[in-house]
Amino acid sequence: MTDIISLTIDWREPDGDMPEEQQEALTQTVFQELRALDEVADVKRVADPDVPDGGMGANWLWSILTAEITIEGLKQVCQDAYERLPGKPIEFTLEVDGKKASIGAKNVRPDNFDETLEKLVAAAQKLQDS
C-alpha cells in the first residue's frame, strides 16, 4: 500500500474560447500555486503526446496538471484547484499503483462540491485498499 497517489486535474474545455496565451498563463499560475501547497509532493505539466516529427523538445498541454499527493491532502488540493478555476468543468483522475478512477466536477456548484470531494476521497481509499 502506498501513501502517495497521483491526481490529474484536467480543466480542458473542448469548445473553449479562451485565447492560447490566457490558457498558458492560467496553467502556469495553477501549477505554481499547487507547487506551493504543503500537501503536494510534486506537480508536473503534461507533455503533448502528439509532438510533430522534427519537433524540438516537449510541447505542454494547457489546462491539465498531475500532482503527487497524500490521500490526507486530497481534499485540500482539490478544493484549492476548484477555487482557482471557478466556473471551469474539472475532471479529477486518481491513480494508485496503476489503478485509476475518475470523478468529474462538471457544472458543480459550491454547495455540492463537498459531495464531489467525498466521492473522490472514497474512490482514492478504495483504490488504495484494493
Side-chain angles (χ1 to χ4, degrees):
M1 179 161 31
T2 181
D3 290 338
I4 299 292
I5 58 176
S6 177
L7 174 69
T8 300
I9 305 166
D10 184 347
W11 67 97
R12 294 176 288 179
E13 295 181 60
D15 299 329
D17 58 356
M18 183 183 288
E20 293 177 0
E21 299 82 26
Q22 286 181 324
Q23 292 178 38
E24 177 61 22
L26 180 59
T27 304
Q28 286 182 17
T29 298
V30 174
F31 173 84
Q32 294 295 333
E33 291 174 353
L34 290 179
R35 201 166 85 171
L37 295 175
D38 291 338
E39 295 86 0
V40 177
D42 191 22
V43 64
K44 294 179 182 164
R45 300 277 310 257
V46 176
D48 186 346
D50 298 322
V51 176
D53 289 337
M56 301 293 289
N59 288 327
W60 304 110
L61 294 174
W62 295 308
S63 307
I64 183 169
L65 298 169
T66 61
E68 301 294 321
I69 60 175
T70 62
I71 196 166
E72 294 80 17
L74 180 61
K75 284 177 99 169
Q76 183 63 48
V77 171
C78 292
Q79 183 69 44
D80 284 0
Y82 181 71
E83 289 171 4
R84 286 164 175 73
L85 301 163
K88 301 271 186 213
I90 303 171
E91 182 173 352
F92 298 106
T93 304
L94 301 167
E95 184 172 348
V96 178
D97 296 329
K99 297 172 277 197
K100 290 185 180 185
S102 292
I103 303 290
K106 295 174 174 43
N107 301 317
V108 173
R109 295 178 307 281
D111 58 331
N112 66 355
F113 188 69
D114 287 340
E115 181 181 324
T116 300
L117 285 180
E118 293 303 325
K119 289 178 186 176
L120 197 62
V121 169
Q125 289 171 336
K126 185 176 180 180
L127 286 175
Q128 212 172 27
D129 293 341
S130 63

